[in-house]
């Protein structure tokens, strides 16, 4: 330290730092060693860590647990004395079709003259995440004006590297990590104060303390954020609070017991599972979707991972499994920003541990946009195949190279040296020249003769008396030809005087000794053929094919035109009989079933496809389910005072139509299966307050029906109750 004595005489004396004092962080995190304002001495502090999950449950910066079911946009955290001008908001909406509970729909961050919204569009089921700024969806990763945002697929991560701020948001909840050095003793809102003292966490605006943080939360609605018009209670809560009624204990879901089991034992001494079990138990009793208990398990596992304790817990549950793509592996403690070929060594990266699907060991991401895992950094060609720098390869008949300078693939047309192949002689009827790929060089083509029976000339050859036509296709020919073969009868020219009638059968062709008799026609035909009389010049008819004859496992099957026959022991392979140019042809069809994973199916939707060959279902994420949005309710000239959570049915239902079997089709619509009537007060332009009844959808299902006829039976009930001044916004 410097001390002025007199007349510009300065005394320099050493400053003695006080001894380090060990502290215990009330939020369960490890203390952090920081420098004082003069950057001379170090001391221990507790960073500010707030999180929320489920429907929702909060743990404040100082580790105080509470649950709150608000339905508006609230202040999660803001500075008491603005210094960095950082504000964080939470948008909660009612999310269960039966119970009166809410879920975090989005986290809104205001910093450095930009407002960024981390949003989840699917509150029931898998996450549907996106990042919005100025009503425009951002492409990730995003970095601008001191803010970075990335996605791990399961969560969104927003960081402000200059301040050491890390914010996580996903389908299971959120977490906020602020350094005490910048924000200690200077926070207020749902996350409470950050001073390692739980006693003042339930603080109202203005510094008034209450006993219950769930009561406090009502007093922190956001003003002018997200289009919300929520207002805090007009009166202050009673000192000491009301006595809460005793509720009947509720049975927690069996998955909740994993929190206190040996599975998480390594973490118990560092972070108590008690608060997370209370949240899991609450969700078990108040949410109709049992998978919501996964949020408590994941939140506890995340708290453990931030202390370096990694727990593989999902394989021990029946509700919370996650499947990764074929080229990725699941890791419960991977880096939020995995390494990639595009990484810049001096660039700040988000190192918060998170679970998700990552590249296998020994590989890394080519870049954060493609998500392709590579062994070595280089280029990706048009087929997303990794290429090493300076690698020369051929693609789509072009000569390509992975250029190291531009880190991109550069291609130029290949110099084709295709051999001059003399085209085949195609003068025979039915043959025509076609271009095909040369098997010796796929980049070259050659001309070959191809048989097309549709190009054959009509058959009109007639045989002389005593001969009959026989149809055959000679070797090397395309078109069938008529060959005249002798008949087994004696036919006499008109000039003969022998009194024998036509169509007599003799022992020899020219036996004129009254040894002839009438021809005995054989009308017995093989299966699949039918005896048909020809014309007056023929003595006998002939057997004409009328069906397909298919040999399956040593037995002949007779199929009429258009019929289909399943092949035994060959899954769903079938033979279909078709008729082309008068000839019966049996075509074999092999059914290729699409990939099927029952864990991705919405319960109760698994069924066989119409042909009975493949299992199909409605996807969990895309399937028919209850969806929500929030909007004002309007009727005539009246409107609700605030936005209401409105439920509706949306998503896919199994439908099909088989072209091979005209008329066979099935259509189903996603529509309400169970509803209830709810009421809301509407303020009218004339000052009246009316009670309006609307339909609240509680359960959806797929049903065969006329979809266009639904939604027309809404019953409204209105009662004028009182007058007051009211103006539509």
């Amino acid at each position: 330290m410097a001390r002025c004595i007199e007349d510009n005489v300065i005394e320099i004396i050493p400053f003695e730092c006080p001894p380090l004092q060990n502290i215990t962080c009330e939020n369960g995190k490890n203390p952090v060693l920081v420098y004082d304002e003069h950057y001379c001495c170090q001391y221990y502090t507790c960073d500010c860590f707030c999180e929320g999950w489920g429907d929702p449950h909060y743990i404040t910066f100082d580790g105080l647990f509470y649950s709150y079911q608000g339905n508006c946009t609230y202040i999660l955290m803001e500075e008491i004395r603005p210094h960095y001008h950082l504000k964080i908001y939470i948008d909660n909406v009612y999310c269960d079709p039966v119970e009166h509970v809410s879920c975090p729909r989005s986290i809104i961050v205001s910093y450095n003259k930009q407002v960024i919204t981390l949003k989840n569009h699917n509150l029931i089921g898998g996450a549907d995440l996106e990042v919005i700024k100025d009503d425009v969806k951002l492409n990730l990763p995003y970095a601008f004006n001191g803010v970075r945002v990335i996605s791990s697929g399961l969560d969104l991560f927003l960081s402000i590297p200059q301040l050491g701020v890390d914010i996580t948001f996903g389908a299971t909840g959120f977490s906020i990590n602020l350094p005490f050095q910048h924000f200690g003793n200077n926070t207020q809102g749902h996350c409470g104060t950050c001073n390692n003292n739980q006693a003042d966490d339930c603080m109202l605006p203005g510094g008034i303390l209450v006993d219950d943080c769930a009561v406090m939360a009502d007093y922190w609605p956001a003003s002018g954020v997200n289009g919300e018009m929520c207002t805090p209670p007009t009166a202050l809560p009673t000192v000491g609070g009301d006595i809460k009624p005793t509720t009947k204990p509720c049975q927690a879901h069996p998955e909740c017991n994993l929190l206190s089991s040996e599975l998480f034992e390594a973490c118990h001494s560092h972070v108590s599972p008690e608060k997370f079990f209370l949240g899991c138990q609450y969700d078990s009793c108040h949410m109709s979707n049992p998978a919501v208990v996964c949020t408590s398990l994941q939140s506890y596992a995340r708290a453990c991972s931030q202390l370096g304790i990694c727990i593989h817990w999902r394989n021990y549950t029946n509700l919370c499994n996650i499947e990764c793509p074929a080229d990725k592996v699941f890791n419960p403690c991977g880096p939020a920003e995995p390494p990639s070929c595009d990484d810049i060594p001096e660039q700040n990266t988000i190192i918060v541990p998170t679970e998700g699907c990552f590249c296998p060991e020994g590989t890394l991401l080519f870049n954060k946009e493609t998500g392709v895992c590579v062994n070595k950094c280089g280029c990706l060609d048009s087929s997303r195949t990794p290429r090493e720098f300076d690698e020369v390869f051929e693609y789509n008949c072009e000569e390509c190279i992975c250029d190291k300078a531009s880190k991109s693939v550069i291609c130029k047309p290949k110099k084709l040296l295709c051999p001059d192949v003399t085209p085949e002689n195609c003068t025979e009827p039915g043959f025509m020249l076609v271009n095909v790929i040369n098997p010796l060089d796929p980049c070259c083509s050659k001309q070959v003769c191809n048989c097309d029976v549709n190009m054959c000339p009509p058959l009109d050859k007639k045989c002389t008396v005593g001969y009959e036509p026989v149809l055959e296709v000679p070797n090397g020919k395309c078109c069938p030809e008529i060959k005249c073969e002798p008949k087994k009868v004696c036919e006499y020219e008109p000039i003969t005087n022998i009194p024998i009638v036509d169509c007599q059968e003799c022992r020899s062709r020219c036996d004129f000794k009254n040894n002839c008799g009438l021809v005995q026609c054989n009308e017995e035909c093989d299966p699949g053929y039918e005896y048909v009389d020809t014309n007056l010049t023929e003595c006998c008819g002939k057997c004409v094919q009328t069906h397909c004859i298919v040999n399956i496992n040593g037995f002949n099957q007779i199929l009429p035109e258009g019929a289909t026959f399943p092949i035994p022991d060959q899954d769903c392979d079938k033979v279909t009989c078709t008729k082309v140019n008068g000839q019966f042809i049996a075509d074999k069809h092999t059914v290729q079933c699409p990939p099927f994973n029952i864990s991705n199916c919405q319960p109760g939707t698994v069924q066989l496809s119409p042909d009975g060959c493949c299992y199909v279902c409605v996807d969990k994420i895309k399937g028919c389910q209850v969806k929500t949005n929030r909007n004002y309710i309007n009727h005539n000239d009246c409107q609700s005072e605030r936005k209401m959570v409105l439920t509706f049915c949306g998503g896919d239902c199994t439908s099909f139509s088989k072209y091979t079997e005209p008329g066979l089709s099935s259509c189903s619509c996603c529509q309400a299966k169970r509803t209830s009537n709810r009421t809301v007060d509407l303020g009218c332009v004339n000052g009246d307050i009316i009670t309006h009844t609307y339909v609240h959808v509680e359960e959806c299902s797929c049903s065969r029906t006329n979809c266009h006829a639904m939604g027309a039976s809404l019953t409204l009930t209105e009662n004028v109750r009182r007058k007051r001044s009211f103006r539509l916004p």
Side-chain angles (χ1 to χ4, degrees):
M1 295 185 66
R3 183 171 60 188
C4 178
I5 299 179
E6 61 180 354
D7 297 332
N8 288 330
V9 176
I10 296 175
E11 178 185 16
I12 304 298
I13 59 176
F15 178 76
E16 294 186 5
C17 295
L20 282 174
Q21 299 291 329
N22 290 327
I23 63 173
T24 300
C25 295
E26 292 292 331
N27 58 16
K29 307 301 179 184
N30 293 326
V32 179
L33 197 61
V34 298
Y35 281 97
D36 61 12
E37 58 180 339
H38 304 296
Y39 217 80
C40 292
C41 301
Q42 290 183 306
Y43 63 100
Y44 282 108
T45 64
C46 297
D47 280 348
C48 316
F49 187 83
C50 174
E51 60 186 319
W53 72 92
D55 58 351
H57 315 292
Y58 294 82
I59 296 181
T60 65
F61 285 134
D62 296 331
L64 186 63
F65 173 82
Y66 70 97
S67 299
Y68 176 64
Q69 309 305 324
N71 182 38
C72 191
T73 300
Y74 301 92
I75 297 173
L76 260 182
M77 169 270 166
E78 68 177 7
E79 296 171 282
I80 299 174
R81 299 171 299 280
H83 181 66
Y84 300 105
H85 302 284
L86 172 67
K87 293 185 178 182
I88 306 173
Y89 307 93
I90 185 170
D91 175 26
N92 286 343
V93 295
Y94 291 137
C95 58
D96 192 89
V98 179
E99 299 289 343
H100 198 68
V101 294
S102 59
C103 299
R105 181 171 60 180
S106 62
I107 295 291
I108 304 164
V109 181
S110 174
Y111 173 73
N112 216 0
K113 298 182 180 179
Q114 56 181 333
V115 178
I116 297 176
T117 300
L118 314 179
K119 193 167 188 177
N120 178 20
H121 289 283
N122 188 16
L123 302 179
I124 302 177
D128 181 10
L129 304 173
E130 72 172 1
V131 182
I132 302 171
K133 176 184 174 182
D134 298 330
D135 296 325
V136 176
K137 180 179 179 180
L138 297 180
N139 294 321
L140 302 182
Y142 166 84
F144 179 75
N145 217 12
V147 177
R148 298 186 67 238
V149 186
I150 64 171
S151 172
S152 70
L154 297 178
D155 293 296
L156 296 170
F157 298 90
L158 184 148
S159 68
I160 305 175
Q162 185 177 0
L163 300 181
V165 173
D166 288 307
I167 300 171
T168 303
F169 177 70
T172 57
F174 70 89
S175 67
I176 300 173
N177 195 5
L178 309 177
F180 182 89
Q181 190 172 10
H182 296 315
F183 298 95
N185 295 307
N186 195 29
T187 66
Q188 59 184 358
H190 278 194
C191 283
T193 60
C194 178
N195 57 5
N196 204 31
N197 179 16
Q198 295 183 0
D200 59 359
D201 277 1
C202 305
M203 185 173 68
L204 306 184
I208 301 174
L209 297 180
V210 295
D211 297 332
D212 190 351
C213 283
V215 175
M216 168 271 292
D218 279 333
Y219 290 83
W220 289 104
S223 176
V225 179
N226 205 28
E228 296 286 356
M229 298 296 292
C230 301
T231 56
T234 55
L236 294 177
T238 305
V239 178
D242 297 330
I243 299 176
K244 295 183 178 180
T246 303
T247 57
K248 183 180 179 181
C250 177
Q251 185 69 31
H253 192 281
E255 305 282 21
C256 299
N257 296 323
L258 290 174
L259 291 165
S260 56
S261 69
E262 295 180 358
L263 178 62
F264 288 96
E265 186 176 9
C267 190
H268 289 166
S269 60
H270 301 275
V271 180
S272 172
E274 179 184 1
K275 300 168 185 176
F276 300 91
F277 181 84
L278 291 175
C280 192
Q281 182 183 38
Y282 186 94
D283 293 341
S284 302
C285 306
H286 294 85
M287 296 276 298
S288 58
N289 181 10
V292 75
V293 300
C294 299
T295 63
S296 295
L297 292 164
Q298 182 178 0
S299 297
Y300 185 58
R302 178 166 52 197
C304 298
S305 68
Q306 291 172 347
L307 298 175
I309 304 170
C310 187
I311 299 174
H312 294 256
W313 63 275
R314 288 192 180 268
N315 291 339
Y316 293 86
T317 72
N318 297 320
L319 296 172
C320 315
N321 292 329
I322 290 178
E323 292 190 6
C324 292
D327 61 334
K328 301 285 197 310
V329 294
F330 182 78
N331 186 348
C333 300
E337 194 166 10
S340 74
C341 294
D342 286 350
D343 288 346
I344 302 174
E346 60 272 13
Q347 185 182 45
N348 291 319
T349 58
I350 299 176
I351 59 175
V352 176
T354 184
E355 60 178 357
C357 299
F358 300 89
C359 289
E361 187 176 356
T363 64
L364 73 165
L365 289 174
F366 177 75
N367 58 35
K368 294 177 174 63
E369 288 79 15
T370 62
V372 176
C373 299
V374 296
N375 296 318
K376 295 181 179 180
C377 293
C379 311
L380 283 185
D381 65 19
S382 300
S383 64
R384 296 167 66 90
T385 301
R387 304 288 182 178
E388 295 185 21
F389 287 129
D390 300 325
E391 178 183 351
V392 178
F393 58 97
E394 183 181 304
Y395 184 74
N396 279 350
C397 297
E398 290 186 320
E399 292 180 346
C400 304
I401 184 172
C402 174
D403 182 61
K404 188 173 184 179
S406 63
K407 296 183 179 180
S408 62
V409 174
I410 300 175
C411 297
K412 60 182 179 179
K414 178 184 177 182
K415 294 180 180 179
L416 298 179
L417 299 175
C418 297
D420 293 330
V421 180
T422 303
E424 299 180 16
N425 185 9
C426 279
T427 58
E428 291 288 336
F431 284 108
M432 59 184 300
L433 282 174
V434 295
N435 289 321
V436 297
I437 295 176
N438 191 335
L440 301 178
D441 188 348
C443 292
C444 297
S445 63
K446 67 176 185 176
Q447 289 186 320
V448 298
C449 283
N450 185 57
C451 173
D452 186 353
V453 293
N454 293 320
M455 303 295 292
C456 292
L459 298 173
D460 56 358
K461 182 177 179 179
K462 296 182 179 180
C463 295
T464 59
V465 176
Y467 291 85
E468 62 179 350
V470 177
L471 193 68
E472 65 176 14
V473 180
N475 289 334
K477 301 284 186 177
C478 174
C479 298
E481 297 179 357
I482 293 178
K483 180 180 179 182
C484 294
E485 293 184 352
K487 295 182 178 181
K488 296 180 180 181
V489 296
C490 285
E491 293 180 349
Y492 301 98
E493 299 293 337
I495 60 174
T496 60
N497 295 319
I498 300 175
I500 300 177
V501 297
D502 288 344
C503 293
Q504 288 185 339
E505 188 175 30
C506 306
R507 293 177 181 172
S508 66
R509 190 174 185 280
C510 296
D511 187 355
F512 303 119
K513 295 181 179 178
N514 262 350
N515 244 347
C516 298
L518 293 175
V519 173
Q520 298 297 318
C521 296
N522 182 12
E523 299 183 5
E524 295 292 331
C525 298
D526 292 335
Y529 290 80
E530 181 179 330
Y531 184 82
V532 177
D533 290 325
T534 54
N535 52 53
L536 297 176
T537 63
E538 302 290 338
C539 296
C540 296
K542 59 182 178 180
C543 292
V544 178
Q545 187 175 359
T546 58
H547 295 69
C548 290
I549 304 168
V550 184
N551 188 285
I552 300 176
N553 297 335
F555 296 95
N556 286 338
Q557 299 292 336
I558 310 301
L559 304 179
E561 179 184 358
T564 299
F565 184 80
I567 302 177
D569 302 325
Q570 294 190 26
D571 297 330
C572 284
D573 291 356
K574 298 180 180 181
V575 174
T576 301
C577 180
T578 58
K579 187 176 182 182
V580 180
N581 293 333
Q583 296 182 349
F584 286 85
I585 301 174
D587 291 328
K588 181 180 178 181
H589 301 277
T590 300
V591 175
Q592 296 290 342
C593 293
F596 179 78
N597 190 331
I598 194 171
S599 64
N600 294 334
C601 295
Q602 195 171 14
T605 65
V606 179
Q607 60 181 345
L608 283 173
S609 58
D611 54 16
C613 295
C614 305
Y615 282 101
V616 295
C617 70
V618 177
D619 190 273
K620 275 184 181 178
I621 299 177
K622 300 179 181 178
C624 176
Q625 56 188 290
V626 176
K627 296 190 175 183
T628 62
N629 63 10
R630 185 153 53 177
N631 206 344
Y632 292 102
I633 294 181
N634 293 282
H635 179 64
N636 295 333
D637 291 330
C638 305
Q639 177 179 283
S640 58
E641 295 185 21
R642 59 184 178 88
K643 289 184 178 180
M644 305 295 295
V645 173
L646 306 176
T647 58
F648 64 97
C649 293
D652 297 340
C653 290
T654 303
S655 301
F656 66 85
S657 179
K658 293 188 65 178
Y659 71 91
T660 55
E661 299 180 42
L664 177 57
S665 63
S666 173
C667 258
S668 57
C669 295
C670 182
Q671 57 184 299
K673 181 180 179 181
R674 180 161 53 89
T675 63
S676 63
N677 289 338
R678 295 192 177 184
T679 59
V680 62
D681 288 346
L682 304 183
C684 303
V685 176
N686 61 5
D688 289 345
I689 302 296
I690 66 171
T691 299
H692 177 79
T693 301
Y694 65 98
V695 174
H696 182 82
V697 177
E698 297 178 349
E699 184 178 356
C700 300
S701 66
C702 296
S703 302
R704 291 172 57 87
T705 185
N706 178 6
C707 303
H708 301 290
M710 298 301 295
S713 59
L714 185 65
T715 301
L716 303 176
T717 304
E718 302 169 7
N719 294 311
V720 178
R721 301 194 318 190
R722 60 186 183 275
K723 273 183 172 280
R724 70 169 188 177
S725 60
F726 184 83
R727 185 175 62 185
L728 292 176

